[in-house]
Amino acid sequence: MNSTVNGERVKGTLSSPRLSTYEREASDLEGALELYLWNANASGAFFPCLHICEVTIRNAVSEVLFKLHGNQWPWNNGFINTLPNPKYGDNPRRNLQKASAKSSDVNKIIPELNFVFWQKMFTSRHDDQLWLPHFRTTFPNTDASIAIKVLRGEIYNDLEKIRKSRNRIAHHEPIFRRKLDEDYKAIIKIIGYRCEDTAQWLSLNQNVVSLLSDKP
């Protein structure tokens, strides 16, 4: 830390409760602040990767829905009724209906739907209609020797891992204890299943790997 910076004042600005997580990990206040800044930079480096992964997934799903229902898929009752409609917690059916009430343009509705909506499109309830007929063409770079249901489940689990990391980053929470290399590899793998060129383009232009190697 720069000798002219008063670390205690920085700690007071960030708050002691917030910095305590980092102080437990580091040997002193200077180390805690260094780790805090690294955590913030690593979080920022993940944003482009998360962005491209989410756009890739929602475009993949919406492409299949377009094949089945055309550009009216958000208003198609046949599709809407396949969505979970729980009384409590996240409700994909209600989320879609809320988004589709705001606009008549499907391209404006797609980005209104949250990450978990797209993740839950990879549950087994959608196998018969979506994935058994369309998985291989939607994700052409998956292993043909592995069953579609297994691969679909793998994507769901990877998206769960990515979603948890994404939520912590979005709320400025610590991520330094996560297996961030696995989060990054899951992102690249999913994108690569859809388009190897896009995965390579991202991997050549990201800053995550170098930051992970420089963790304090």
Side-chain angles (χ1 to χ4, degrees), residues 8-21 23 36:
E8 288 294 338
R9 290 180 180 174
V10 177
K11 178 179 177 179
T13 301
L14 298 175
S15 85
S16 293
R18 169 167 282 273
L19 204 60
S20 63
T21 302
E23 288 184 295
Y36 189 96

Side-chain angles (χ1 to χ4, degrees), residues 110-179:
I110 290 170
E112 287 288 322
L113 296 166
N114 59 15
F115 190 96
V116 73
F117 176 89
W118 302 109
Q119 179 194 3
K120 288 189 175 180
M121 293 304 299
F122 290 87
T123 57
S124 60
R125 71 188 298 135
H126 297 294
D127 279 344
D128 289 342
Q129 186 179 34
L130 270 62
W131 300 125
L132 293 178
H134 299 289
F135 187 89
R136 298 292 183 190
T137 54
T138 307
F139 299 99
N141 303 315
T142 50
D143 189 337
S145 67
I146 300 177
I148 289 172
K149 290 185 179 182
V150 173
L151 290 167
R152 186 266 309 146
E154 175 192 307
I155 290 177
Y156 179 90
N157 291 333
D158 282 339
L159 290 174
E160 176 69 7
K161 182 189 306 180
I162 293 165
R163 185 179 66 83
K164 287 180 177 179
S165 183
R166 176 185 182 274
N167 287 350
R168 293 197 68 79
I169 289 170
H171 292 94
H172 313 305
E173 294 296 326
I175 61 169
F176 63 84
R177 288 177 180 155
R178 288 188 60 81
K179 295 178 180 178

Side-chain angles (χ1 to χ4, degrees), residues 1-214:
M1 191 189 309
N2 189 303
S3 59
T4 63
V5 173
N6 186 312
E8 288 294 338
R9 290 180 180 174
V10 177
K11 178 179 177 179
T13 301
L14 298 175
S15 85
S16 293
R18 169 167 282 273
L19 204 60
S20 63
T21 302
Y22 301 87
E23 288 184 295
R24 286 193 293 270
E25 191 75 13
S27 58
D28 54 24
L29 178 57
E30 182 176 351
L33 290 171
E34 183 182 3
L35 181 59
Y36 189 96
L37 192 58
W38 178 89
N39 192 92
N41 285 326
S43 297
F46 261 99
F47 264 115
C49 301
L50 293 166
H51 165 179
I52 293 165
C53 181
E54 182 169 355
V55 170
T56 297
I57 282 296
R58 71 192 192 193
N59 286 349
V61 175
S62 59
E63 177 183 285
V64 176
L65 294 174
F66 183 86
K67 288 178 181 177
L68 292 170
H69 307 294
N71 62 7
Q72 295 297 300
W73 65 260
W75 300 274
N76 184 283
N77 287 328
F79 168 62
I80 292 169
N81 291 334
T82 68
L83 298 174
N85 187 30
K87 290 183 179 180
Y88 306 104
D90 188 78
N91 187 309
R93 189 180 301 183
R94 187 168 59 241
N95 291 345
L96 177 59
Q97 290 172 329
K98 183 178 179 180
S100 62
K102 294 180 180 179
S103 175
S104 59
D105 184 348
V106 65
N107 294 311
K108 292 183 179 179
I109 292 168
I110 290 170
E112 287 288 322
L113 296 166
N114 59 15
F115 190 96
V116 73
F117 176 89
W118 302 109
Q119 179 194 3
K120 288 189 175 180
M121 293 304 299
F122 290 87
T123 57
S124 60
R125 71 188 298 135
H126 297 294
D127 279 344
D128 289 342
Q129 186 179 34
L130 270 62
W131 300 125
L132 293 178
H134 299 289
F135 187 89
R136 298 292 183 190
T137 54
T138 307
F139 299 99
N141 303 315
T142 50
D143 189 337
S145 67
I146 300 177
I148 289 172
K149 290 185 179 182
V150 173
L151 290 167
R152 186 266 309 146
E154 175 192 307
I155 290 177
Y156 179 90
N157 291 333
D158 282 339
L159 290 174
E160 176 69 7
K161 182 189 306 180
I162 293 165
R163 185 179 66 83
K164 287 180 177 179
S165 183
R166 176 185 182 274
N167 287 350
R168 293 197 68 79
I169 289 170
H171 292 94
H172 313 305
E173 294 296 326
I175 61 169
F176 63 84
R177 288 177 180 155
R178 288 188 60 81
K179 295 178 180 178
L180 295 173
D181 57 332
E182 293 184 8
D183 292 341
Y184 170 73
K185 288 175 183 176
I187 289 170
I188 295 297
K189 180 179 71 173
I190 287 176
I191 296 170
Y193 280 171
R194 175 75 167 157
C195 176
E196 290 177 343
D197 287 301
T198 305
Q200 184 179 13
W201 168 70
L202 176 58
S203 66
L204 290 172
N205 290 284
Q206 51 74 38
N207 297 315
V208 169
V209 173
S210 60
L211 274 165
L212 294 184
S213 66
D214 290 338

